């Protein structure tokens, strides 16, 4: 019998798993009740039904942890609200370490948890044994206990969310497959089903492992791929404690959950088995995949050793089911950059249950208000690049990313799979010079250059890694001579047209209506004053501008730019990243080298800081821009791709006389930390304003026409004191054994947590462990408050004395860059 589908709704949600039902629940909770959810088969029939149902709270950032905490709170009250059982049990979780490296990871996580307001206990081996006496403690170094973690029944909790949505007016249709998403003029307008068409203001894709193909049908990139995910369930074990916490032994890739007197043992093995790359059967529902005992046997062998009760317990169920994974192990949320009003909630990497409440909360508010309620750039769909939807790439990468859930999360860890995708024209030269490459969004970038006799690979640790001495050599050359960086991965957009200046000046907080050849550092802000993009703009001609931004926000920043070009404006934006590789030449001898190369006068009078000129190098014309991200005298060279090899060869030949060395991205990052240059996505985001970030100098308050976000900033500027500000930190301990700061370490003033770090590195030119971070004080953060306090940073459960100040630790007056 045909279904009576509505003709017009506010929101259509495609997909009836736990996340789709959570979105419906939360939309109706905030007053958007004209909502339809369409499920191709039955609710939970894709992935949700076979999820393990773990509910953890600690994530990699404060905001993601807040969302996980919210999910836990939602599950606590959901049964009472809806009358539908959820199976929620808050029995806590224990993570155990079998190595010193893992123990430090857990301790750093424990400090983060404390910083995020989570209750956390660091446990000795004996204390773990007291809580789970039926576990073998062989090789265990210690662990961490999070008492608010727990578990839930995935099918039941999904039905409860659906019941809550229905009770407030949402309509849910099962066995109603969406055959096409309808778009018009770059915006979604509805969906087509076998039962009829529904027009909608907005559409949400909560479509799990079907997302990539459905998105591709309308030109939207959603890189994900299903993998086989295994677990076993034992027969009932009489001696198994019913209140057993969830136990994770990541060094053995294994997790354990008590389930109605039985023990569920699951794994995130290092090399996963991708599945479904050739397409997923149209009738797929509640599907199990064939057993593969050979693949699972090493996991099971370790499990029997770890939990001796398993040795005599039979296996009641060997389960293998598909779950979708993404190239970076983070899910996708938010509006698609390619199609307006089309929202994503997919690719949950086996953490869909514990993410469902927070994802539903954020996306519902995003749909209602036009922006997320908090900084979620790490899971924003706009972080991805179209090439990542390539079937071979995503299949190869997810064979690794499944295992990364339990692998060591080392600082600077590099992906091993799907490498060599994007290479600059300078790649062969940097490779010959000993580059050890890292990967960012497919780009192969020289991270460091091996010294003679060094192996060209990483030895990971939380302290000084094996490339530390190489980075010191690079930093010394940067400070005393001259180096080059391959920065081709930085995104470049050309903005052209009669209205180009007007458009850019409206969305930029700084004034870009400047003389031809001037470079402007600026931000693009949202209406709330938050920083959406951090970039430079060079005026090439009265009607032409070059926008340069980071490699990671390439898709995001282009989407922001295009959506802020009025329809009637004579202005176009073109991504020219691939055609314009860039080398930067940095250091006190950079002027002499470039003058030798080009014959151009590079003096302060002829070539001031913040200006750009066309010069000759060899037989090529090159754009030289005097700007820096490392705090030394230097220029960025933008070279048309076909001339890149010739220009590189010419520079290397001339550079010998000046001691020119190659330097990598680690040195670039270390140097920018010494100068306190902010990094978008770590130190600044759409939650921070330029005033809070110490970047108010980028705001041209009085320029004609104002700028997006100005009104919000003026209100903040009128406050007597800012309650939140970015600061520079250095550990007092500057010895070789000094710990390194990375991110989210608690910052304590007089023993009380008042903030956290956002990024950190060793400063090779100043010889200190450095970080940037935000601190808060309701009465205002100012120099007196900073100087009157006693400061510490907690790293791996240990407090370290620190120096905290507003100015950078290296060349605070910026004399070197203008020398």
């Amino acid at each position: 019998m045909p279904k009576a589908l509505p003709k017009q709704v506010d929101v259509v949600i495609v997909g009836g798993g736990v996340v789709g039902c959570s979105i419906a629940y939360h939309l109706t909770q905030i007053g958007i009740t004209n909502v339809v959810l369409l499920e191709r088969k039955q609710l939970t029939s894709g992935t949700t039904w076979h999820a393990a149902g773990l509910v953890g709270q600690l994530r990699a950032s404060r905001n993601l942890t807040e969302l996980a905490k919210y999910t836990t709170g939602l599950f606590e009250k959901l049964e009472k609200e809806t009358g539908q059982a959820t199976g929620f049990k808050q029995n806590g979780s224990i993570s155990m370490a079998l190595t010193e490296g893992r123990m430090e990871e857990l301790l750093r996580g424990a400090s983060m948890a404390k910083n995020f307001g989570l209750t956390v206990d660091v446990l000795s081996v004996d204390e773990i044994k007291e809580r789970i006496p039926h576990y073998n403690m062989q090789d265990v170094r210690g662990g961490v206990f999070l008492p608010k973690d727990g578990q839930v029944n995935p099918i039941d909790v999904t039905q409860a969310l659906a019941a809550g949505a229905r009770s407030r007016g949402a309509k849910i249709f099962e066995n109603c497959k969406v055959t096409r998403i309808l778009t018009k003029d770059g915006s979604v307008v509805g969906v087509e089903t076998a039962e009829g068409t529904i027009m909608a203001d907005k559409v949400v894709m909560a479509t799990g492992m079907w997302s990539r193909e459905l998105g591709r049908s309308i030109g939207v990139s959603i890189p994900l791929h299903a993998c086989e995910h295994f677990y076993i369930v034992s027969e009932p074990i009489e001696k198994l404690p019913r209140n057993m916490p969830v136990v994770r032994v990541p060094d053995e890739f294994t997790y354990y959950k008590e389930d109605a007197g039985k023990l569920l043992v699951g794994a995130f093995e290092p090399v996963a088995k991708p599945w479904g790359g050739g397409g997923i059967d149209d009738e797929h529902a509640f599907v199990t995949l064939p057993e593969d005992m050979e693949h699972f046997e090493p996991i099971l062998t370790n499990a029997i050793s770890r939990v001796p009760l398993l040795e005599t317990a039979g296996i009641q169920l060997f389960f293998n089911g598909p779950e979708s994974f993404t190239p970076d192990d983070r899910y996708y949320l938010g509006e698609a950059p390619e199609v307006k009003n089309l929202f994503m909630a997919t690719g949950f990497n086996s953490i869909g249950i514990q993410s469902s409440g927070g994802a539903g909360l954020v996306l519902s508010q995003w749909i209602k208000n036009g922006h997320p309620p908090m900084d979620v750039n790490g899971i924003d769909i706009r972080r991805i690049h179209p090439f990542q939807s390539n079937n071979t790439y995503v299949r190869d990468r997810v064979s690794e990313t499944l295992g990364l859930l339990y692998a060591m999360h080392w600082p600077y860890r590099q992906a091993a799979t799907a490498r060599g995708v994007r290479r600059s024209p300078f790649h062969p030269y940097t490779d010959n010079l000993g580059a050890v490459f890292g990967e960012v969004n497919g780009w192969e970038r020289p991270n460091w250059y091996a010294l003679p006799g060094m192996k060209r690979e990483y030895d990971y640790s939380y302290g000084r890694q094996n490339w530390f001495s190489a980075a010191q050599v690079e930093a010394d050359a940067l400070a005393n001579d001259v180096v080059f960086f391959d920065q081709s991965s930085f995104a470049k957009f050309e903005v052209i047209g009669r209205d180009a200046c007007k458009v850019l000046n409206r969305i930029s907080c700084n004034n870009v209506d400047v003389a031809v050849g001037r470079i402007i550092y600026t931000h693009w802000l949202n209406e709330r004053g938050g920083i959406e993009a951090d970039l430079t703009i060079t005026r090439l001609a009265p009607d032409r501008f070059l926008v340069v931004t980071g490699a990671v926000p390439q898709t995001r920043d282009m989407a922001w730019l295009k959506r802020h070009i009025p329809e009637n404006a004579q202005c176009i934006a073109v991504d020219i990243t691939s055609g314009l590789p860039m080398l930067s030449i940095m250091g006190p001898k950079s002027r002499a080298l470039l003058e030798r190369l080009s014959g151009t006068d590079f003096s302060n009078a002829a070539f001031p800081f913040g200006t750009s000129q066309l010069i000759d190098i060899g037989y090529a014309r090159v754009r030289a821009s005097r700007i820096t991200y490392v705090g030394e005298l230097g220029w960025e060279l933008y070279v048309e791709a076909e001339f890149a090899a010739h220009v590189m060869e010419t520079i290397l030949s001339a550079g010998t006389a000046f001691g020119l060395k190659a330097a990598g991205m680690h040195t670039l990052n270390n140097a920018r930390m010494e100068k306190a240059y902010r990094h978008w996505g770590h130190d600044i985001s759409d939650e921070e304003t330029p005033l809070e970030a110490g970047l108010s100098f980028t705001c041209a308050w009085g320029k004609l026409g104002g700028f997006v976000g100005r009104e919000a900033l003026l209100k903040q500027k009128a406050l007597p004191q800012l309650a939140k500000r970015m600061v520079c930190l250095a550990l007092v301990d500057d010895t070789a054994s000094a710990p390194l700061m990375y991110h989210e370490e608690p910052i304590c003033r007089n023993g009380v947590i008042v903030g956290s770090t956002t990024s950190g590195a060793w400063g090779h030119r100043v010889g200190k462990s450095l970080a940037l971070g935000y601190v808060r004080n309701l009465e205002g953060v100012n120099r007196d408050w900073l100087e009157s306090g006693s400061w510490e940073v907690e790293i791996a459960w240990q407090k370290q004395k620190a120096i905290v100040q507003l100015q950078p630790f290296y060349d605070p007056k910026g004399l070197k860059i203008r020398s």
Side-chain angles (χ1 to χ4, degrees), residues 147-435:
K148 296 293 186 180
D149 285 358
Q151 59 195 68
V152 74
N153 185 308
I155 293 177
D156 289 345
V157 82
T158 304
Q159 294 292 351
L161 290 165
R166 287 191 187 101
S167 71
R168 291 187 290 265
K171 296 179 174 63
I172 297 177
F173 295 92
E174 296 180 286
N175 297 301
C176 188
K177 180 184 176 182
V178 170
T179 55
R180 190 157 64 108
I181 293 176
L182 305 175
T183 63
K184 182 179 180 182
D185 299 328
S187 182
V188 76
V189 293
V191 299
E192 186 179 88
T193 78
E195 309 289 340
T197 296
I198 305 176
M199 307 306 290
D201 296 332
K202 295 177 174 67
V203 173
V204 178
M205 287 178 57
T207 41
M209 53 192 158
W210 290 269
S211 299
R212 184 164 61 97
E213 292 306 317
L214 185 58
R216 179 172 285 180
S217 69
I218 53 171
V220 174
S221 296
I222 312 170
L224 53 76
H225 197 294
C227 287
E228 299 183 29
H229 181 52
F230 300 87
Y231 60 76
I232 61 109
V233 179
S234 74
E235 292 179 344
I237 302 175
E238 184 179 348
K239 294 182 180 180
L240 189 70
R242 298 300 187 266
N243 63 344
M244 184 192 105
V246 171
V247 177
R248 297 178 178 89
V249 190
D251 293 310
E252 294 176 342
F253 323 114
T254 311
Y255 62 88
Y256 302 84
K257 182 188 91 166
E258 187 277 333
D259 186 8
K262 296 166 282 189
L263 189 64
L264 183 151
V265 183
F268 294 103
E269 64 278 20
V271 181
K273 295 179 64 179
W275 176 85
I280 301 172
D281 189 286
D282 207 42
E283 295 303 310
H284 181 105
F286 300 108
V287 166
T288 60
L289 304 179
E291 295 182 4
D292 188 344
M293 184 55 77
E294 182 179 355
H295 184 79
F296 194 74
E297 187 175 13
I299 301 295
L300 186 58
T301 300
N302 283 334
I304 291 171
S305 175
R306 187 61 57 194
V307 187
L309 290 175
L310 281 171
E311 193 168 4
T312 55
I315 296 177
Q316 186 178 86
L317 172 67
F318 186 111
F319 185 83
N320 179 12
E323 297 190 25
S324 60
F325 288 80
T326 66
D328 60 5
D329 249 353
R330 290 178 273 136
Y331 58 90
Y332 300 132
L333 212 63
E335 189 176 13
E338 302 94 338
V339 178
K340 292 179 181 178
N341 297 321
L342 177 64
F343 289 82
M344 302 294 138
T346 189
F348 278 86
N349 300 283
S350 206
I351 59 166
I353 303 300
Q354 59 190 292
S355 303
S356 59
L361 175 74
V362 166
L363 199 66
S364 62
Q365 295 183 17
W366 201 331
I367 288 169
K368 181 177 181 178
N369 301 321
H371 60 82
M374 59 177 68
D375 169 33
V376 290
N377 76 80
I379 53 175
D380 192 326
I381 183 69
R382 292 175 293 176
R383 74 185 185 274
I384 62 95
H385 291 250
F387 85 89
Q388 292 174 308
S389 284
N390 174 286
N391 186 63
T392 304
Y393 168 86
V394 72
R395 181 199 65 211
D396 290 351
R397 176 56 64 85
V398 299
S399 69
E400 178 182 13
T401 57
L402 179 147
L404 293 182
L405 289 173
Y406 278 10
M408 281 294 301
H409 299 94
W410 294 117
Y412 308 107
R413 188 189 189 284
Q414 301 299 320
T417 55
R419 294 293 298 267
V421 183
R422 304 168 84 181
R423 307 180 203 184
S424 84
F426 307 125
H427 182 276
Y429 301 94
T430 57
D431 190 25
N432 286 339
L433 290 169

Side-chain angles (χ1 to χ4, degrees), residues 382-496:
R382 292 175 293 176
R383 74 185 185 274
I384 62 95
H385 291 250
F387 85 89
Q388 292 174 308
S389 284
N390 174 286
N391 186 63
T392 304
Y393 168 86
V394 72
R395 181 199 65 211
D396 290 351
R397 176 56 64 85
V398 299
S399 69
E400 178 182 13
T401 57
L402 179 147
L404 293 182
L405 289 173
Y406 278 10
M408 281 294 301
H409 299 94
W410 294 117
Y412 308 107
R413 188 189 189 284
Q414 301 299 320
T417 55
R419 294 293 298 267
V421 183
R422 304 168 84 181
R423 307 180 203 184
S424 84
F426 307 125
H427 182 276
Y429 301 94
T430 57
D431 190 25
N432 286 339
L433 290 169
V436 180
F437 294 95
E439 183 263 349
V440 172
N441 287 341
W443 282 104
E444 294 293 326
R445 310 196 305 182
N447 275 354
W448 54 283
Y449 289 82
L451 299 175
M454 291 180 68
K455 60 181 181 180
R456 294 174 63 175
E457 60 186 56
Y458 281 86
D459 287 335
Y460 294 117
S461 74
Y462 278 99
R464 297 182 177 188
Q465 297 185 5
N466 62 316
W467 49 267
F468 185 91
S469 59
Q472 185 66 59
V473 170
E474 295 171 19
D476 291 343
L478 172 64
N480 301 311
D481 297 309
V482 60
V483 304
F484 75 85
F485 297 94
D486 180 359
Q487 294 179 240
S488 300
S489 61
F490 281 43
K492 283 86 69 176
F493 313 143
E494 193 162 11
V495 185
I496 311 167

